[in-house]
Amino acid sequence: MNERHRAYFRQKLLKWKEEIVLRTKETIAGLHEDSTQHADLADRATTETDRAFELRDRDRQRKLISKIDAALARIEDGTYGYCEETGDPIGLRRLDARPIATLSVEAQERHERRERVYRED
């Protein structure tokens, strides 16, 4: 992976992280603003379900930020774009589709097959 590729992925990761942080701030502001109490139980249940879904989604996004930070650290230390399992380069198309990928396609497929086998036991 050359310097141009690293710069491209660094920028892509930083933009992705910025979008996540912005959406999180919007969610927090929305939760503070929408503190209305509904008299109807169905309306209250719908509101609570929506809130729970939003908070669950934000928690997933929080975990994603740590993966983005780890990918940015790998860019800095020169290990970005290489499979953690085999050491082989991860394809650029895979990194473009999933910039936080740590495994090559082949290694990811092996990992998923092992996961399926252990889950079925």
Side-chain angles (χ1 to χ4, degrees):
M1 177 173 292
N2 63 39
E3 186 57 39
R4 196 175 91 211
H5 291 136
R6 282 190 293 275
Y8 169 79
F9 287 113
R10 183 181 301 112
Q11 187 62 35
K12 185 171 185 150
L13 288 162
L14 288 171
K15 183 178 178 190
W16 193 11
K17 182 178 176 178
E18 185 179 304
E19 289 170 359
I20 292 170
V21 169
L22 180 65
R23 284 195 310 256
T24 299
K25 288 179 182 178
E26 290 171 354
T27 298
I28 291 169
L31 290 174
H32 284 298
E33 289 173 6
D34 187 30
S35 60
T36 57
Q37 295 294 323
H38 299 287
D40 184 44
L41 289 177
D43 289 342
R44 189 179 311 166
T46 299
T47 300
E48 289 301 319
T49 301
D50 291 345
R51 258 190 203 163
F53 176 78
E54 188 71 30
L55 291 172
R56 217 172 28 250
D57 188 45
R58 290 302 143 236
D59 187 50
R60 281 200 296 289
Q61 298 296 321
R62 179 187 54 81
K63 292 174 185 174
L64 184 57
I65 285 177
S66 67
K67 290 181 180 184
I68 291 171
D69 288 339
L72 290 167
R74 287 194 310 275
I75 288 174
E76 295 307 314
D77 70 18
T79 60
Y80 182 79
Y82 293 95
C83 179
E84 288 182 347
E85 192 173 289
T86 65
D88 294 335
I90 299 173
L92 291 176
R93 287 181 28 211
R94 173 162 171 71
L95 287 172
D96 197 35
R98 186 82 176 154
I100 58 173
T102 59
L103 299 172
S104 64
V105 171
E106 297 81 15
Q108 182 68 38
E109 287 173 347
R110 281 193 304 274
H111 175 73
E112 289 173 3
R113 274 195 300 273
R114 281 191 306 260
E115 200 174 71
R116 239 180 282 127
V117 167
Y118 289 121
R119 191 174 7 157
E120 291 174 359
D121 288 345

